[in-house]
Amino acid sequence: MFNENSSANEAGEVACGDGEEDVPVCESKERGFNAAHETPSARFLRAELELNAHLRGLRFSDPVRYIYNPLEYAWDTHRCYVEKYCQAGQKILFLGMNPGPFGMAQTGVPFGEVKSVVDWLKITGEVGRPQNEHPKRRITGLSCTQSEVSGARFWGFFRKLCGDPAVFFQHCFVHNLCPLIFMSDSGKNLTPPELPAAEREALLRLCDIALCQVVEALNVSMVVGVGKVAEQRARRALSAAGVNVRVEGIMHPSPRNPLANKGWEDVAKAKLQELGVLSLLIKTCANQS
């Protein structure tokens, strides 16, 4: 049996981000934050730290052989992302399932394809390494040269639509339900649905609780699951907890999805128009031009 904590670094010693939109580079801070300053980013980070503490007690068996938690070894860049972009007034939460090996696993940012994270989101900071790395899945952080297709499609779409990150983040934020990435002995990425049933449910039960905390902390009115699994899990968790929020979904941009490979941006744009999100972003963009 494998303990999540045995394959992840100790939490990062420093964090960055000051929460001001006009500062492109994050300044280092102590990892902890003052609970008295109940900003949306502070509430969000507190929920994540609580989830991390609970996840350390979980155990996983075959086929899981390696587990990375970027909210520990990439806390610096993750906190930079949260404090830079998590803000009051956001009503839409895009929800992914869990990190990809060349996205959030490298950068600490959901759908965090490196070029998008560095060039568009302007995230800075140090990325450490998990204690137990698969030789084919090394963590090189913001220096990673391999692109993650899902992340490039996701952030690339909103970059084309909004131009400036401030336009997108005025109304929206992006989060993953589960912060852990799982790999088999061969280095194959294992999604939560591929885990043994009892272990999967123990994991997702904790993630469900954290999701409810995040939704209430951010006071969003709509959760948009990126992919069916995230959408269905969010609907189930939030409904069971009695959290009054609308749950919808868009197609996942994964290259494993043949439909996404035929034109994910067109599908996403049509769906967001149907949900009333597209006009909100375009209107915001027009007002700022």
Side-chain angles (χ1 to χ4, degrees), residues 57 73 95 106 123 136 144 192 195 197 200 205 207 232 271 276:
Y73 63 81
L95 184 72
Q106 300 290 339
I123 299 302
K136 295 181 180 179
C144 180
L195 303 180
R200 177 181 67 242
R205 191 177 306 116
C207 295
Q232 292 169 357
K271 185 63 177 181

Side-chain angles (χ1 to χ4, degrees), residues 33-261:
F33 53 85
N34 188 344
H37 293 84
E38 283 294 308
T39 61
S41 62
R43 293 192 294 268
F44 185 92
L45 290 169
R46 177 152 49 86
E48 291 192 308
L49 289 174
E50 291 175 1
L51 176 60
N52 265 1
H54 291 298
L55 291 176
R56 292 187 192 108
L58 297 182
R59 302 293 186 275
F60 297 92
S61 57
D62 288 338
V64 176
R65 305 296 288 182
Y66 295 83
I67 307 170
Y68 296 0
N69 185 353
L71 295 193
E72 294 196 334
Y73 63 81
W75 178 259
D76 197 10
T77 49
H78 178 74
R79 181 170 177 175
C80 181
Y81 163 72
V82 173
E83 292 202 345
K84 191 176 181 69
Y85 293 119
C86 182
Q87 58 197 35
Q90 293 169 324
K91 294 301 181 184
I92 302 157
L93 180 67
F94 286 93
L95 184 72
M97 190 62 200
N98 73 310
F102 303 108
M104 186 173 177
Q106 300 290 339
T107 65
V109 176
F111 294 95
E113 187 256 350
V114 173
K115 187 174 181 181
S116 298
V117 167
V118 173
D119 294 347
W120 195 53
L121 299 180
K122 305 297 184 184
I123 299 302
T124 61
E126 297 295 325
V127 176
R129 298 170 70 177
Q131 292 178 353
N132 185 24
E133 284 184 288
H134 192 285
K136 295 181 180 179
R137 294 290 182 264
R138 297 293 187 190
I139 298 300
T140 55
L142 300 183
S143 299
C144 180
T145 58
Q146 186 156 345
S147 176
E148 182 175 80
V149 175
S150 295
R153 286 176 176 172
F154 182 87
W155 289 117
F157 169 69
F158 287 110
R159 184 174 188 172
K160 289 179 185 177
L161 182 65
C162 301
D164 191 315
V167 175
F168 175 79
F169 288 104
Q170 180 177 346
H171 298 286
C172 307
F173 194 64
V174 184
H175 176 52
N176 272 336
L177 176 67
C178 172
L180 305 182
I181 177 171
F182 302 91
M183 286 166 279
S184 68
D185 192 51
S186 68
K188 177 181 180 292
N189 184 38
L190 300 170
T191 62
E194 296 175 282
L195 303 180
E199 295 168 12
R200 177 181 67 242
E201 286 309 307
L203 167 70
L204 294 181
R205 191 177 306 116
L206 294 175
C207 295
D208 288 350
I209 294 170
L211 174 63
C212 294
Q213 292 173 339
V214 162
V215 168
E216 292 184 323
L218 301 185
N219 195 30
V220 297
S221 57
M222 183 189 301
V223 174
V224 180
V226 183
K228 282 292 184 184
V229 176
E231 176 190 354
Q232 292 169 357
R233 193 74 199 189
R235 181 173 286 111
R236 171 182 169 182
L238 294 165
S239 175
V243 179
N244 185 23
V245 62
R246 180 181 175 188
V247 179
E248 299 288 350
I250 61 172
M251 180 190 295
H252 198 286
S254 171
R256 294 183 181 182
N257 182 349
L259 293 178
N261 293 332

